[in-house]
Amino acid sequence: MQEKEKFTPYVPSTSSMREFSFKALFVGVIMAIILGAANVYLGLKAGMTVAATFPAAVIAMALLRPFKGTILEENLARTTGAVGEALAAGALFTIPAFVLAGVWTEFDYLKSTMLMLVGGVLGVLFIVILRKTLVEDETLPYPESKACAEITKAGQGGQSGAKYVFGSLGLAAFLELLKNPNGLRLIKDSVSGFLSFHESIIRLNDNTNAQLLANGKEAVFGFKGGMVLQSPSASPAFLGVGYIIGPRLSAITFSGGVFGWLFLMSLALFMLGDKLSPFAAQYGWVLVAKTAYAAVIKPIAVGGMIVGAFYTLYSMRQNLITGVARGIKDIGSAGKAGAEKKRTDKDLPLGATLMAVGVLLFLMVILYRTFSHNWGTALLATVVMGIAGFVFAAVAGYLVGIIGSSSNPISGLTLSTLLIAALLMVMVGMKGDPGVAAVLAVASVVCCVAGVAGDMMQDLKVGHILGGTPWRMQVGEMVGVVAAAFVLVIPIMLLHEANTIGSDALPAPQAGLMAMMAKGIVGGEMAWPLVIAGMLFAVALILIKSPSPMLISVGMYLPLNTSFAIFVGGIIKWIVEKAAEKRARDAGDKTAVENAGLLIASGLVAGEALTGILLAALVVGNIHLKELIGFGPDFDGFWWLGLVVFAVLAYVLIKFPLAFLKKLQQDKG
């Protein structure tokens, strides 16, 4: 029997290469804050985030190389920086729900920060226990971790790809400045219109159903409806998201928009047209239709998201069971092997880790008391949070090893926790706003735990391949979590004050789902007929084996111009893939094109997001850019400039990845 080949990291365990330095930690903290803030913006607008591991790796290389940073310093900076996106995902799926549910009239900075801080730190501590088993499991492919490690190793040859990130970031920032209502708006983001239909006649007679008619007379009903038509949003961020997730997933998202806006909404307008006509005469059909969509179709989308989330978990049931079993096993086995001698095997001390977990759980009882105003329910909430947090940390870490952090079903895990907590609160008699607040507080911590745990497991695998020191990376993650937790509430607050979370500008679909479920179960307020209709719709999708009912439902919840723009980004990615297939000589060429496109798309997302947050901050500070510079148009912008934006972005996303391939092939000869 052939002996299994022993794994050797890129930097040997015997190496004393510089790793944990102030410059690496400083760069990582700055990236954690910036990339986290960018994903807050993206998540509130598009209902999804993008993994920060790849852009963080490239930015770390670009910033540390002039200061002679080593590959292990770059790895530490990337590890510290990428955690900001993970914490942002956990926060934006739940923290805005407090406002959307009416529990808070405005964001509570201190409580929001504490929820994120505890969730993020617990995510790090739980993965300290789980790391060795998961990272050394050769049956887990870790696709994104291996790809990131290859990018980092390739960067040692001088080609980091930083110019793609920073170039597209600058382009997106410039376009957002000319597109944002709070900037110098010359570009009209999208165009909406209403297509009105002629009146349709439906006749009921004795051949249809005589019981419905009086004296056998005919009943005639006139219906007049229409549909809302919207162009895709001229958004660099949405096109970037569509490019990153690819043509298939972007098409699935857009299918939800088509079903919700062009099918269900048209049906609703057909049935309600006469009742809505007086309002349409005053406000216009587009505004009336969008208002009706929020009231009628969004609850259906929520029902679809509920079933979709649980179906996602069910489809992963074997992996979930394995992940939970490993987590429980690691509690008993961690620390039994004694102190490891190799640098690449050393984690933070188990005893100190368990003690820190205990202290945090004790403090959470006190924090949850401020939400529920009852010590008993605060203790119950802490127990639910602690158990669910560890279980889902193990699940998230395991799933990242299989599918990568980009596909980690955080919202499904959080929804499971929320439902358990909500039912328990009802059972112990907790109702009203205190009960809703307690449920959301439990879900917030668990969501942050799952997000950070998944991201950290991915980063630790990259470090394992490169030869990083686990305990140093864990400290870096801890520092990144703490820094991001104290900052990330600020962009949420700024964006809410400038644009209002829950509006078309910031729909926040996951937070809306959490708010509706918590308030519906604990508060007794739920449009159950519509929610149940959405649940049955998702069941029908599952029966016909439709891909991702959850993503289809998210597409229904989003504005049509958002899902449409994401779809356009996916089409651009499809064009690049087809062109690369014709020009590539081997698999390495295709990977090079994919990585270059990924970096450009990541820059587009970050550029628009950071500019949007900066402009929102100016609005909150009562600083108007037009007045400040003495120039600016006083209208909604030119619609045709939106077409120019699409042309420019398509050119950039197609041209530069293929140009990179051509140069790479020339260098190879």
Side-chain angles (χ1 to χ4, degrees), residues 323-342:
V324 171
R326 291 183 181 210
I328 296 173
K329 178 182 177 182
D330 284 348
I331 291 181
S333 63
K336 288 186 177 180
E340 296 285 352
K341 294 182 180 180
K342 290 183 180 180

Side-chain angles (χ1 to χ4, degrees), residues 20-21 24-33 35 56 73-85 455 459 472-484:
F20 195 90
S21 64
L25 205 59
F26 179 77
V27 168
V29 166
I30 297 300
M31 286 197 297
I33 293 171
L35 294 174
E73 285 180 305
E74 293 171 0
N75 176 64
L76 185 87
R78 174 197 50 75
T79 299
T80 305
V83 76
E85 174 270 329
D455 173 83
D459 289 334
R472 289 171 177 161
M473 297 175 65
Q474 290 157 4
V475 172
E477 292 264 6
M478 195 84 71
V479 173
V481 160
V482 172

Side-chain angles (χ1 to χ4, degrees), residues 427-448:
M427 289 173 61
V428 299
M430 279 297 297
K431 296 183 179 180
D433 285 349
V436 174
V439 168
L440 291 175
V442 172
S444 297
V445 174
V446 173
C447 195
C448 290

